[in-house]
Amino acid sequence: MRSLSLLTVAQTSLSASEFASSGQPPSITATAVDLDQNALLIATERRDVSNDSEATVAIWRLRADETPDEGTPSLVTSFPTPTQLAANPWSKGTSKGVKPAKEAEIVSLHVLPDSHSLVVITRAGDITTIALDEDAPTAEVVGSVDGGVMGAAWSPDDTLLVLVTGEDKLLLMTSTFDVLSEGPLHPREFGEEAPVNVGWGAKHTQFHGSLGKAAAKSSIPPTAVGASPDDDGHVRVSWRGDGAYFTVSVLEGATEPEARPHRTLRVYSREAALQSTAEPVPGLEHALSWRPSGNLIVATQRFGNIPGETVPKSEAGSGLGPGRDGRHDIVFFERNGLRHGEFTLRESLPAEAGKAVSDRRKWGYRVREVGWSSDSNVLSVWIEREDGDIVQLWTTGNYHWYLKQEIAAPPSQDGAPGRFTSVQWHPEDALRLILTTPSDIISRTYAWDTFASPSQPPIDSGSVAVIDGTRILLTPFRSQNVPPPMASHTLSLQLPPELQPAQQKRTPVPIHAAFAPTRDLLAVLWEHGVVQVYDLQTRLGPGRGKVMDPVLVCSRSWGSAGSVRSFRQAVFAVLGDDVRLAVLATELAGDANDIVSVVDVAGSGQDAPATEVGLPKHSGRLVLSRLIVWEAPDGRLFEVDVATKSASEVAQFPEFCFWNTHVLVDDGSEETTAPLFIGQSHGSKLHVTNGQATRTLATNMNSYTTTPSFLVYTTTAHVAHFAPLKTLAALLKTPETPLPEFETRRVERGSRIVTAVPSTMSLVLQMPRGNLETINPRPMVMEIVKQDIDSGNYGKAFTACRKHRIDLNVFVEHDQDAFIKGIPSFVEQVADVDYINLFLTNLGQGPLAADLVARICDEIRSELEKKDLKKYVNSILTAHVVKRPPDHEAGLALLLRLKAETEPDLVEDAVKYIIFLVDADKLFDTALGMYDFSLVLMVAQHAQKDPREYLPFLRELRALDHYYQRFRIDDHLRRYEKALTNLSLAGPERFDEAMEHVEKHQLYDHALSIWRGTDKYEAVLNIYGDWLFERRDFREAAFVLRQANRPEKAMIAHEKALEWQELFELAVQRELSDDELKEIAYRVAEDLVSKKRTSEAALVLLDYAKDVRQAVIALVEGSHFSEARRIIVLHRRPELLEEIIHPGALECRARIAEDMSEMREQLRKQVNRVRELRIRKVEEPEAFYGVEDTELHNVDVVTDISMAPTTFTRYTVAPSAMSKTSSKRSSRSKRKLERKVGSGRKGTVDEEEYLLKSVFKLVTRFNTTQADSASLLPHLLQFTEEHRAEAASLQLELQEFAAELSAAVEEIWKKAPEGDEPTETAPAADSWAARMEAYEKQKHINPVDKVAKPELGKPEWKLRLPDARGSTYTR
């Protein structure tokens, strides 16, 4: 669906003095591109009138810093060279015996980049080199070929040169002109790839499709294969793009008695070894070009009879291809020489059939050359006509060849028809074509463009125009999606004679087309300044008849006398209510700037005045806009004011953007809109600017389009992005804000956007092979749906959601309050019962809150009941069922209501429907829970339940009392609390059964609430208390038992809960004896001591057992020495000091010493291990970090070979007996592995972290030991000498270990200098793989950063101790 649009055109002439000199004027004959200097080298030839055997060749340089016409050709050098008359250019069998006149002497002009020299090869056989780096370059003849040169071609890598000599030899030379191979030009063999008979039978016995065996048996006699009269007789050589092969086209058979002169194609390898010879093709001509991509070799073929020859030369015919007279095809060959398709040129036949137009051009034209663009996308065909030369540009898609552009040679100064002397594609700029006439150099650059309609809803037709010769292929994608090369309508173009080009009286190929944004208009522009405007009259909606019926509105010409302009672009602009047409043109003479001509479409006849506005630069581009905006080559954007005939700068792109658009974005205010300029550069960058700021949205995009709400663009990553225009406008106001993540959708590889149709929510894409695909992206669909919801068009929005599978919850989520208010309108527009059911079902299954769902369901149900209860009974039932939780009872109640009011058939259908919505068993239970047996029977019957399953149960229930019946029903339905309530109402005789029900289902709280304030309340408490006691919930059991007046069991519960205060309170209140109190006290104290509650145990022994000795023992066991000594003094029991406290203090000292010994041993082992690990981490990092590899947890690396593991065997999946049992890890095993990863076992990477945590805990433990020592030391100093000695040694041990521990902590937590760490990314998801990945990344984190450094406690145990001499010192 793309067309070629002219980007730039430049025409440069050689100096006038060169052509004003005496003698025959020079003629430009060849060009070469100097990529290093970005220059074009031009060769001119001048023949001496008095001496035809010598010509003068001049080399000119035209620099192209920006555009070719900004430079002036400068002479590089000139040199004489012999002409072909000085050699023997014609060998036998090469020509037809007729020497063409006025042929160029230069066969090849080429720049060698390695030596930066120009190589000139002439027909006389001279090979001349010119060093371009010299200040005054001179020509040097490095060699000469005997017999002259008939053809030459350099390989694409500039390392090999193929020459065809006049002696019928094929030479292969290096870039230094050393001969690598020499062979005959007319070999007899087929080549190395000759077909081989594999025994499949003769050709006439094989299947040949629709042609049949007759066609297979037919063969073309050698005398029937001839050459075209248009053949120039010269040899052609063409290389494949990769330089692996080249092909040679040569005229043969001139001297053979049994054959006519005919063209033969041969394919050679890079070493000049013949590979294959093409099959004989009658009428094959001289033109030849190998597609750079390598799949096709292009030539031309004539068909029918030769005009002017009434009698064939022989019985074999004219020698041309059998077919229609005048047929002329572009034919394709494969590398093996076989034909591979063709297409027919669209040239007109002579006015008089069978009569030759001229001796040189019997059909009135001939094909001079064919050529491919460097990207293999465009084929150029150089055609020489009687009225002047033209170059046609052809492209292909979906196996159809489109004629996209036609370039006519400018007429000569004497009025003769214009002729090209060379046509060459630029080797790097794929769509740049360089053409020369005898005196001018023309450079034309093209770009791919899609002519799509910019119309907006509701009149957006989605029309796209494709240029194919003098036809415009039109397709409105809103109505139809017609795959190319077909179209909805083919518009044939025909210019009136007065508007046709003066030199070529015919309708040429248009250069551009444009659609109007507000009207269904199409403008077609020709390069010579003629434009036609058509009213397409497109049918937007469905219907019969033509989808388009174009009517010509007007035709006019912008051509002006005395100037030669190239018109290249047309756009429509909307100024108020007027639609105007703007046309962009450039003066070809001189360095003229661009000109834009504007005319009102309403008065766009031939006599309507046009307003011309000069622009600041040339080679610019008009922006697709409702205004007239022009983009300069440097990216600046100018708004053209027609009234003042001026252009003012409004914005600027960072670079020139050939594809550009201007849109107005509603910024939220009612009066203003924000301008937004969008541009795509040739570097695949997408820029957006508003005049103040510019953002680059993508650097890998390949196409884009706009809708009223979105900028849609595709990238080379095969993703379509949908950027809201309002978001882009907001981003430009805050340039520092990072780009958000736009909504995306994957598309087929290589897809390009053709157009977007907002009204149908569709996006049309074209695949690389040419076929179309229409998609409905979610962002575009949602935009239209939301607009319809806002406008209250619920029916259309619902249809769109249903068609495109959009969640129907969007009606509520978009605007909850507005939708609730519009529910009556929603029900009115979406009146179908099935549609309402679908909506309610989606609502119930969606993410909306339960209360909101219930509210909407109730509103819709209420509205439906008002409209027609019978019609919408299914929808009403759905509204009850989809609530969360479902209201099944309300739905069944509706059935009862319908049963009493309406006909049975409706009730039966409603029952079947609700059974379809809800599980039959659940519905049966719900009906049973409503205590209505008729409803139960109705549901059971329609659910097709077996009567033997439910009838006995229902009969049993009917025989029971009212409340007991309900109890049985509720108990059956597991509604135990409701069952207990009904059972409590069944009478006092059911109380025991109620208590059994309470105990069975643990309904104690509900039972207490039922019997509160009755005489049964205490019985319920007893049952509850016993249940709590059995559960070992002794504290709550004691509280309940006390309320139930059961103090004995309450005391037991208090004792079990160690609530000794409440226990002894009850014991004293019950006036227990002293012996009983002592017995209880001893039991409680023993339990308290076991729970380390020694202070409370001592208090119990003192208060209730009156046992001071046991109390002191309990206090000493808990290291409460001060309290123990106080009790001894209080109760005057000094003997207990030596008997209990002295030994207890020594035991405490020994326990502390034992703990410190364990801590010292642990500390030394762990510090040494940390040192060892850190040395290993530095010396062997791979081994240190590579122990645990989470990527290999599911890989079995056990092999059948007994060998030591290596770095590679860790990653080898070897077959073995054990590998057969390998399987995917379960969740349990994965969790176990995660725990193992962090366990810190020896040899793992997290061992160091584990050791640091252990040292941290050791410091905490030592701080506790210091506190215990601080409370023990004062007592040791007050006892015997032995105790004081132990106090001194304890202080010394504490001091030494504290110093050792402090040094170890400082050593371990000292950070070593580290390099830059790699940037980490968060895990993708909360999964086992993600968690293990996160763990792997944390391996390289220093454990010191993960474990906090511990702090040693203040040494409060330091005391000043007396020495043996009576003085004091401090430990």
Side-chain angles (χ1 to χ4, degrees):
M1 303 298 290
R2 296 190 298 171
S3 298
L4 282 177
S5 184
L6 182 60
L7 174 59
T8 61
V9 56
Q11 182 172 334
T12 306
S13 298
L14 292 180
S15 61
S17 60
E18 176 71 14
F19 289 89
S21 60
S22 62
Q24 185 178 359
S27 174
I28 300 174
T29 57
T31 59
V33 179
D34 184 358
L35 296 176
D36 292 339
Q37 299 295 331
N38 192 20
L40 182 67
L41 297 172
I42 306 136
T44 62
E45 298 179 18
R46 183 201 301 269
R47 297 199 180 200
D48 191 349
V49 179
S50 61
N51 185 9
D52 288 343
S53 63
E54 186 175 275
T56 301
V57 175
I59 306 299
W60 302 76
R61 179 187 285 117
L62 178 63
R63 295 191 180 275
D65 297 330
E66 294 182 2
T67 55
D69 61 338
E70 289 193 354
T72 301
S74 60
L75 182 64
V76 177
T77 187
S78 63
F79 59 93
T81 182
T83 65
Q84 54 187 340
L85 295 178
N88 180 24
W90 307 110
S91 65
K92 62 179 181 178
T94 301
S95 70
K96 300 175 294 183
V98 179
K99 173 183 172 298
K102 295 183 180 180
E103 290 187 346
E105 294 297 330
I106 297 177
V107 178
S108 172
L109 185 70
H110 188 76
V111 177
L112 294 179
D114 292 342
S115 60
H116 198 220
S117 60
L118 179 67
V119 180
V120 183
I121 302 175
T122 62
R123 295 193 181 278
D126 286 354
I127 301 177
T128 306
T129 62
I130 302 171
L132 299 175
D133 290 334
E134 296 180 0
D135 294 336
T138 57
E140 177 185 0
V141 179
V142 296
S144 183
V145 179
D146 294 339
V149 175
M150 303 308 300
W154 287 89
S155 64
D157 57 1
D158 301 314
T159 59
L160 297 176
L161 171 64
V162 177
L163 293 179
V164 178
T165 70
E167 297 179 348
D168 292 347
K169 293 181 180 180
L170 182 69
L171 301 181
L172 181 66
M173 308 176 72
T174 66
S175 59
T176 56
F177 309 106
D178 297 323
V179 178
L180 297 177
S181 174
E182 181 176 353
L185 182 62
H186 308 284
R188 295 298 179 183
E189 64 274 10
F190 181 87
E192 296 179 358
E193 298 181 359
V196 178
N197 189 346
V198 295
W200 289 350
K203 183 177 181 181
H204 65 272
T205 65
Q206 299 175 8
F207 177 72
H208 296 277
S210 60
L211 295 178
K213 292 185 178 180
K217 293 179 181 178
S218 64
S219 60
I220 302 176
T223 56
V225 180
S228 169
D230 292 340
D231 198 313
D232 62 4
H234 290 313
V235 180
R236 297 294 193 279
V237 182
S238 180
W239 284 83
R240 198 169 77 171
D242 59 357
Y245 299 92
F246 65 89
T247 180
V248 178
S249 174
V250 61
L251 192 65
E252 295 184 338
T255 60
E256 299 177 8
E258 297 182 357
R260 290 180 173 183
H262 60 276
R263 278 278 165 180
T264 301
L265 293 183
R266 293 184 176 89
V267 177
Y268 295 83
S269 68
R270 184 178 178 86
E271 293 77 23
L274 180 62
Q275 300 297 302
S276 61
T277 302
E279 57 183 289
V281 177
L284 191 65
E285 296 181 323
H286 57 271
L288 179 71
S289 180
W290 198 328
R291 195 175 191 177
S293 60
N295 60 338
L296 296 176
I297 301 173
V298 179
T300 59
Q301 181 186 8
R302 281 285 190 183
F303 293 84
N305 295 316
I306 301 174
E309 295 184 3
T310 56
V311 179
K313 292 182 178 180
S314 66
E315 296 179 357
S318 63
L320 305 184
R324 173 179 53 84
D325 286 349
R327 176 181 166 188
H328 201 180
D329 284 3
I330 300 290
V331 295
F332 304 109
F333 294 85
E334 298 178 1
R335 186 175 64 83
N336 56 14
L338 298 180
R339 284 283 303 275
H340 188 84
E342 67 282 320
F343 71 89
T344 302
L345 294 175
R346 303 173 188 175
E347 292 300 306
S348 58
L349 297 176
E352 298 183 20
K355 184 177 181 181
V357 177
S358 65
D359 293 338
R360 184 176 178 85
R361 291 174 284 272
K362 293 182 178 297
W363 285 272
Y365 75 96
R366 67 169 184 157
V367 175
R368 285 283 302 272
E369 300 290 350
V370 293
W372 285 101
S373 63
S374 60
D375 61 358
S376 302
N377 287 330
V378 184
L379 174 66
S380 62
V381 181
W382 176 7
I383 299 176
E384 180 184 283
R385 287 176 173 163
E386 289 292 327
D387 53 1
D389 289 3
I390 62 168
V391 174
Q392 295 180 345
L393 303 182
W394 295 79
T395 64
T396 183
N398 259 18
Y399 304 100
H400 175 76
W401 285 88
Y402 298 86
L403 176 56
K404 293 296 185 182
Q405 291 284 337
E406 204 172 64
I407 307 167
S412 60
Q413 295 181 356
D414 57 0
R419 301 294 178 194
F420 290 121
T421 57
S422 68
V423 177
Q424 179 184 5
W425 287 98
H426 195 279
E428 288 188 351
D429 193 349
L431 294 179
R432 182 179 173 191
L433 188 63
I434 301 170
L435 311 98
T436 61
T437 65
S439 60
D440 296 329
I441 305 101
I442 304 171
S443 174
R444 299 172 70 93
T445 304
Y446 293 89
W448 293 107
D449 200 3
T450 302
F451 304 143
S453 173
S455 55
Q456 301 295 326
I459 62 169
D460 52 329
S461 61
S463 298
V464 176
V466 178
I467 295 177
D468 186 13
T470 57
R471 302 180 304 167
I472 303 291
L473 309 180
L474 296 167
T475 300
F477 285 97
R478 179 171 177 175
S479 305
Q480 297 178 344
N481 186 346
V482 180
M486 298 180 291
S488 298
H489 182 83
T490 300
L491 177 62
S492 298
L493 304 175
Q494 181 63 46
L495 292 178
E498 64 273 10
L499 296 180
Q500 294 177 359
Q503 183 179 0
Q504 301 173 350
K505 287 297 183 180
R506 59 184 181 85
T507 301
V509 178
I511 198 168
H512 196 263
F515 290 91
T518 58
R519 293 175 56 185
D520 196 17
L521 300 178
L522 172 68
V524 182
L525 176 67
W526 282 265
E527 189 174 5
H528 64 285
V530 174
V531 65
Q532 287 186 337
V533 179
Y534 290 86
D535 185 357
L536 299 180
Q537 302 185 60
T538 305
R539 172 170 51 82
L540 299 179
R544 302 175 64 88
K546 295 182 179 180
V547 69
M548 276 186 174
D549 189 13
V551 175
L552 180 62
V553 176
C554 65
S555 299
R556 68 164 295 151
S557 174
W558 264 283
S560 57
S563 64
V564 180
R565 292 182 179 179
S566 172
F567 294 82
R568 62 177 183 273
Q569 186 187 7
V571 297
F572 282 97
V574 180
L575 302 178
D577 297 332
D578 298 332
V579 178
R580 299 187 181 184
L581 179 64
V583 178
L584 183 65
T586 301
E587 292 280 356
L588 293 180
D591 296 336
N593 294 336
D594 285 353
I595 299 171
V596 59
S597 300
V598 184
V599 66
D600 193 344
V601 174
S604 57
Q606 183 64 37
D607 299 331
T611 303
E612 293 189 354
V613 181
L615 300 171
K617 293 278 188 178
H618 59 82
S619 301
R621 185 79 177 166
L622 289 176
V623 178
L624 184 61
S625 169
R626 293 190 171 219
L627 306 175
I628 302 177
V629 181
W630 176 81
E631 181 187 6
D634 56 2
R636 290 183 298 164
L637 297 167
F638 294 83
E639 182 178 348
V640 177
D641 189 344
V642 179
T644 60
K645 296 185 179 181
S646 61
S648 57
E649 184 176 352
V650 293
Q652 182 172 6
F653 288 127
E655 56 185 324
F656 178 73
C657 296
F658 176 82
W659 303 272
N660 44 44
T661 308
H662 172 225
V663 296
L664 297 176
V665 182
D666 185 3
D667 58 0
S669 61
E670 298 181 355
E671 299 180 355
T672 61
T673 55
L676 204 63
F677 294 94
I678 303 167
Q680 174 190 351
S681 68
H682 283 91
S684 299
K685 293 183 179 180
L686 182 62
H687 304 291
V688 179
T689 181
N690 60 356
Q692 288 78 32
T694 304
R695 300 294 294 268
T696 300
L697 301 183
T699 58
N700 63 338
M701 57 91 63
N702 58 11
S703 62
Y704 83 93
T705 188
T706 59
T707 69
S709 302
F710 290 98
L711 165 63
V712 186
Y713 62 94
T714 57
T715 64
T716 54
H718 327 302
V719 177
H721 298 254
F722 300 87
L725 295 179
K726 291 185 178 180
T727 303
L728 296 179
L731 283 173
L732 291 174
K733 294 180 180 179
T734 55
E736 67 281 354
T737 304
L739 290 176
E741 291 291 336
F742 302 122
E743 290 189 73
T744 60
R745 169 173 173 159
R746 297 288 299 178
V747 295
E748 187 174 337
R749 184 181 183 88
S751 299
R752 291 179 179 271
I753 296 174
V754 176
T755 188
V757 188
S759 293
T760 59
M761 302 162 284
S762 59
L763 182 69
V764 182
L765 303 172
Q766 186 167 29
M767 307 303 111
R769 56 187 176 272
N771 62 309
L772 300 178
E773 179 180 348
T774 300
I775 63 175
N776 296 96
R778 178 181 174 84
M780 296 179 63
V781 174
M782 290 298 297
E783 184 67 22
I784 300 299
V785 167
K786 291 178 180 179
Q787 292 177 7
D788 291 336
I789 293 174
D790 290 336
S791 61
N793 196 348
Y794 296 112
K796 180 183 174 185
F798 185 89
T799 302
C801 290
R802 184 169 171 267
K803 178 180 179 181
H804 301 293
R805 299 182 180 180
I806 301 296
D807 189 357
L808 296 176
N809 288 308
V810 67
F811 284 86
V812 183
E813 294 172 346
H814 178 59
D815 193 338
Q816 172 184 326
D817 297 334
F819 176 73
I820 293 176
K821 294 179 181 178
I823 283 179
S825 177
F826 175 82
V827 173
E828 185 71 27
Q829 296 181 38
V830 187
D832 189 272
V833 174
D834 292 336
Y835 290 172
I836 295 178
N837 293 342
L838 178 63
F839 174 77
L840 292 172
T841 304
N842 277 269
L843 197 67
Q845 297 176 352
L848 298 176
D851 55 345
L852 179 58
V853 173
R855 180 184 176 188
I856 295 174
C857 288
D858 290 339
E859 292 287 345
I860 293 178
R861 176 184 54 80
S862 176
E863 192 65 29
L864 294 176
E865 289 178 352
K866 294 177 184 178
K867 289 179 67 65
D868 192 339
L869 177 62
K870 296 180 181 180
K871 176 182 177 181
Y872 294 106
V873 60
N874 290 349
S875 299
I876 296 172
L877 290 174
T878 305
H880 287 303
V881 169
V882 299
K883 294 180 182 179
R884 295 195 298 268
D887 193 358
H888 296 159
E889 293 188 4
L892 293 174
L894 177 62
L895 294 181
L896 289 176
R897 175 183 166 191
L898 290 173
K899 185 178 180 182
E901 297 178 357
T902 60
E903 58 274 9
D905 293 341
L906 180 62
V907 177
E908 183 177 353
D909 293 340
V911 172
K912 291 180 180 179
Y913 179 75
I914 196 171
I915 291 174
F916 165 75
L917 292 179
V918 185
D919 181 69
D921 293 332
K922 289 183 179 180
L923 206 59
F924 179 86
D925 293 341
T926 302
L928 187 63
M930 296 173 67
Y931 315 119
D932 191 313
F933 290 100
S934 62
L935 187 60
V936 173
L937 289 172
M938 184 170 60
V939 172
Q941 290 170 0
H942 288 89
Q944 298 181 352
K945 295 177 69 70
D946 189 355
R948 291 175 296 181
E949 296 179 359
Y950 62 88
L951 283 180
F953 178 59
L954 294 181
R955 292 193 188 100
E956 180 185 355
L957 292 177
R958 284 180 179 275
L960 300 177
D961 297 337
H962 179 71
Y963 287 108
Y964 194 71
Q965 179 191 81
R966 293 193 172 188
F967 160 73
R968 289 289 303 276
I969 292 174
D970 292 332
D971 186 63
H972 172 75
L973 298 177
R974 298 183 180 181
R975 302 187 301 191
Y976 299 121
E977 290 188 358
K978 196 171 183 179
L980 181 61
T981 302
N982 285 319
L983 189 57
S984 67
L985 299 174
E989 66 276 6
R990 302 288 185 181
F991 180 75
D992 293 337
E993 186 177 357
M995 292 302 100
E996 292 176 3
H997 186 77
V998 169
E999 292 180 352
K1000 181 178 180 181
H1001 301 292
Q1002 301 177 7
L1003 303 175
Y1004 301 102
D1005 292 336
H1006 190 61
L1008 290 174
S1009 64
I1010 292 175
W1011 278 282
R1012 190 182 305 275
T1014 65
D1015 55 348
K1016 303 296 184 181
Y1017 183 68
E1018 189 172 323
V1020 178
L1021 286 174
N1022 283 329
I1023 297 174
Y1024 185 33
D1026 291 339
W1027 179 74
L1028 290 174
F1029 191 88
E1030 290 175 0
R1031 284 186 58 194
R1032 304 187 65 82
D1033 195 351
F1034 298 116
R1035 186 174 182 179
E1036 293 188 11
F1039 174 75
V1040 173
L1041 291 171
R1042 291 182 71 166
Q1043 284 189 315
N1045 294 323
R1046 296 178 61 187
E1048 297 83 359
K1049 196 163 186 177
M1051 289 176 58
I1052 299 174
H1054 281 308
E1055 183 177 348
K1056 295 289 186 182
L1058 290 181
E1059 294 179 336
W1060 57 273
Q1061 291 94 338
E1062 290 81 358
L1063 169 63
F1064 287 107
E1065 178 191 1
L1066 282 177
V1068 173
Q1069 288 178 356
R1070 297 191 63 235
E1071 298 180 354
L1072 297 181
S1073 63
D1074 293 342
D1075 293 337
E1076 291 176 330
L1077 287 176
K1078 285 183 180 181
E1079 182 181 355
I1080 295 174
Y1082 282 123
R1083 289 201 309 269
V1084 172
E1086 183 180 357
D1087 292 340
L1088 289 173
V1089 170
S1090 66
K1091 299 295 183 181
K1092 305 297 183 182
R1093 296 164 61 179
T1094 55
S1095 298
E1096 297 179 62
L1099 188 58
V1100 169
L1101 290 170
L1102 286 175
D1103 291 347
Y1104 299 104
K1106 310 299 183 183
D1107 191 339
V1108 177
R1109 178 184 178 84
Q1110 291 299 325
V1112 172
I1113 291 174
L1115 290 171
V1116 170
E1117 187 173 347
S1119 299
H1120 301 293
F1121 294 101
S1122 298
E1123 180 65 15
R1125 294 174 66 182
R1126 187 187 70 82
I1127 296 299
I1128 290 174
V1129 174
L1130 178 64
H1131 292 277
R1132 294 177 175 80
R1133 298 287 300 274
E1135 71 278 4
L1136 297 178
L1137 183 63
E1138 295 182 2
E1139 182 181 350
I1140 298 175
I1141 294 182
H1142 286 183
L1146 293 176
E1147 289 179 6
C1148 184
R1149 163 68 178 91
R1151 188 167 62 251
I1152 292 175
E1154 183 179 353
D1155 291 343
M1156 291 183 61
S1157 177
E1158 292 179 1
M1159 288 188 287
R1160 183 179 292 105
E1161 182 181 0
Q1162 175 186 345
L1163 177 65
R1164 291 174 180 175
K1165 287 182 179 180
Q1166 292 179 340
V1167 170
N1168 291 334
R1169 181 59 180 168
V1170 169
R1171 294 169 182 165
E1172 179 183 346
L1173 289 174
R1174 290 182 175 176
I1175 293 174
R1176 184 185 174 198
K1177 181 166 57 174
V1178 174
E1179 295 179 351
E1180 302 176 1
E1182 293 184 0
F1184 181 81
Y1185 291 109
V1187 174
E1188 288 288 335
D1189 194 341
T1190 58
E1191 297 295 331
L1192 303 178
H1193 285 155
N1194 289 329
V1195 178
D1196 183 4
V1197 297
V1198 180
T1199 67
D1200 294 331
I1201 303 175
S1202 299
M1203 59 180 292
T1206 66
T1207 304
F1208 297 99
T1209 57
R1210 293 179 64 242
Y1211 299 91
T1212 304
V1213 183
S1216 65
M1218 292 185 63
S1219 65
K1220 295 179 181 179
T1221 62
S1222 176
S1223 62
K1224 293 184 178 180
R1225 293 185 179 269
S1226 63
S1227 299
R1228 183 177 180 182
S1229 62
K1230 290 178 181 179
R1231 296 292 181 182
K1232 183 177 180 181
L1233 179 61
E1234 291 182 31
R1235 291 194 298 270
K1236 187 188 297 184
V1237 163
S1239 63
R1241 66 182 185 276
K1242 189 173 183 179
T1244 61
V1245 71
D1246 56 344
E1247 182 185 0
E1248 182 181 358
E1249 180 182 352
Y1250 173 80
L1251 293 173
L1252 265 63
K1253 292 179 179 179
S1254 181
V1255 173
F1256 186 92
K1257 295 178 181 179
L1258 184 64
V1259 172
T1260 304
R1261 181 181 175 187
F1262 179 67
N1263 290 337
T1264 304
T1265 302
Q1266 287 189 104
D1268 294 342
S1269 301
S1271 63
L1272 175 63
L1273 280 172
H1275 301 285
L1276 290 176
L1277 294 175
Q1278 298 178 28
F1279 297 156
T1280 64
E1281 289 296 332
E1282 180 184 3
H1283 288 83
R1284 284 192 286 274
E1286 291 294 335
S1289 65
L1290 177 59
Q1291 274 199 327
L1292 183 60
E1293 290 179 11
L1294 289 170
Q1295 185 175 1
E1296 292 175 352
F1297 184 71
E1300 182 178 357
L1301 182 59
S1302 177
V1305 169
E1306 292 297 331
E1307 177 186 353
I1308 292 175
W1309 266 270
K1310 181 180 180 181
K1311 292 185 179 180
E1314 298 180 356
D1316 295 336
E1317 297 182 356
T1319 304
E1320 298 181 2
T1321 56
D1326 185 16
S1327 61
W1328 177 81
R1331 291 193 296 271
M1332 297 308 294
E1333 179 185 358
Y1335 166 75
E1336 283 297 315
K1337 293 179 180 179
Q1338 290 179 357
K1339 281 182 179 180
H1340 299 275
I1341 299 178
N1342 194 337
V1344 175
D1345 296 332
K1346 295 191 283 186
V1347 182
K1349 181 180 179 182
E1351 297 291 338
L1352 270 68
K1354 184 178 180 182
E1356 297 180 355
W1357 42 265
K1358 287 189 175 182
L1359 299 175
R1360 296 175 62 85
L1361 305 179
D1363 61 6
R1365 297 184 299 274
S1367 61
T1368 61
Y1369 67 95
T1370 302
R1371 288 282 183 182

